[in-house]
Amino acid sequence: MRPVYLDNNATTRVDPVVVESMLPFFTEHFGNASSMHAFGSAVGGAVKAARQQIQSLLGAEFDHEVIFTSGGTESDNAAILSALETQSGRDEIVTSMVEHPAILSLCEHLERTRGVRVHRIPVDSRGCLDIDAYRRALSGRTAIATVMWANNETGTLFPVETLAELAHEAGALFHTDAVQAVGKIPMTLAETDIDMLSLSGHKLHGPKGVGALYVRRGIRFRPFVRGGHQERGRRAGTENVPAIVGLGKAAELAALSMNDEVTRVKALRDRLEAGILQSVGSCFVTGDADNRLPNTTNVAFECIEGEGILLMLNKEGIAASSGSACTSGSLEPSHVLRAMNIPYTAAHGAIRFSFSRENGPEDVDRVLDVLPGVIANLRAMSPFWQGDGQPPTAFNPTYA
Ligand code: PLP
């Protein structure tokens, strides 16, 4: 039976058309983009074309606003570190409690090692940002506000355009980690106040280890990776041309399939979600149901462990992902679900299904065939399970 891959927020399959576009740049066109001779110029043109493909997907005004990086993590780090250098007299960061570790662990590090003050803005039970708290945290000390466009676990979307305007009112820069949003929802950056944006190739059917940082024209920028003059002195290191070409092609394909994403893919996601809610008791969808990425659903099943569900689904050839992370031997719910105050008994059993344009109705049918039995089996083994609609037995650890 064909495996069912519903973990596209973790990574996507590289589109064969993308692979095709990359291949000549390993062999025929192997030149260094910075070289003056013909080998270099052929390659330089391809890098420029990729920059324009990303500019077009983002709705940015100029292609040189796009800097190629090694991925989402580097782009996030580069944005924050640059802001702290260029925004003189400002040494605070405003962010949310539900960012990816690419933001949160850098913030922690800066707090510990440089005394940077970090404001982590809470979210409500749907994962929506407390805008008043965000507004209050911004001040003349804020160097940068950084809030993700879409949450990787729940798909909840953040009002980044408004958040950018509020940051500007305080004289701060605004960055968004849009790694999960780019290619899934339309955007026109030229019409927003967003100063910087991170994206990653492998989330949109492009290669791994390549990404980009959009830096709006006129924003002062200091490089994170220092060395040669590549990327107009903003990111040193010989360009990874095949990956850059692949990322450009992936961006072009994402733009072409945007309609499919927001209609057909969303309909698949919605059918799966409705089917689960109907066929399995004592479960609910986490995140903001009305304001989410079209491809993501995160369902919390009471009184069982996400890891158990994943293992049993995996045996059936179905790949999804859980909201728990194995830390020091204990399975703790993710920081995102904890920030949303999802009851522990349910957060433990949260599963994320994330679709892409490569999924079809047969994938939804298969999960709906298999999942109710998996949940019933696991609950039959759970000492905490009392039956649908019954409160769980004593299983009441508190969040640290
Ligand atoms: N930001 C978000 C929201 C992500 O989901 C991810 C990847 O999971 C990253 C950043 C990191 O991107 P990369 O894997 O390209 O470093």
Side-chain angles (χ1 to χ4, degrees), residues 45-67:
V47 171
K48 182 169 172 59
R51 217 182 292 285
Q52 288 168 340
Q53 284 161 319
I54 292 170
Q55 173 202 356
S56 165
L57 179 64
L58 298 180
E61 202 171 350
F62 305 101
D63 65 349
H64 60 73
E65 293 174 320
V66 175
I67 303 171

Side-chain angles (χ1 to χ4, degrees), residues 67-233:
I67 303 171
F68 290 112
T69 67
S70 67
T73 303
E74 183 190 322
S75 298
D76 286 348
N77 277 243
I80 291 175
L81 293 171
S82 171
L84 289 172
E85 270 194 57
T86 59
Q87 296 275 87
S88 61
R90 292 169 176 263
D91 57 359
E92 293 188 3
I93 299 171
V94 176
T95 187
S96 83
M97 287 177 73
V98 295
E99 298 298 309
H100 189 272
I103 298 283
L104 290 181
S105 70
L106 175 66
C107 285
E108 252 171 63
H109 176 75
L110 293 170
E111 241 172 353
R112 252 188 305 111
T113 59
R114 292 204 208 163
V116 169
R117 182 157 179 218
V118 179
H119 301 261
R120 297 172 182 79
I121 309 302
V123 295
D124 65 16
S125 58
R126 291 168 308 151
C128 299
L129 196 74
D130 180 340
I131 306 272
D132 286 337
Y134 173 81
R135 211 190 295 259
R136 284 195 304 275
L138 292 166
S139 74
R141 300 293 301 271
T142 315
I144 185 166
T146 173
V147 178
M148 65 201 334
W149 199 312
N151 184 267
N152 43 306
E153 289 186 32
T154 62
T156 299
L157 297 170
F158 290 86
V160 284
E161 296 176 19
T162 308
L163 300 178
E165 285 165 22
L166 292 171
H168 282 185
E169 281 170 23
L173 293 176
F174 184 81
H175 164 257
T176 183
D177 174 341
V179 163
Q180 294 292 347
V182 169
K184 294 177 190 159
I185 52 172
M187 43 188 71
T188 312
L189 289 187
E191 291 172 10
T192 74
D193 271 16
I194 293 167
D195 298 307
M196 293 191 265
L197 172 147
S198 304
L199 66 93
S200 173
H202 72 104
K203 307 290 185 181
L204 57 146
H205 303 283
K208 293 171 182 55
V210 66
L213 178 65
Y214 158 87
V215 180
R216 195 157 56 80
R217 188 169 79 141
I219 299 296
R220 290 203 301 142
F221 185 78
R222 294 281 176 278
F224 168 46
V225 179
R226 290 178 177 274
H229 289 288
Q230 293 87 354
E231 298 296 287
R232 296 169 159 235

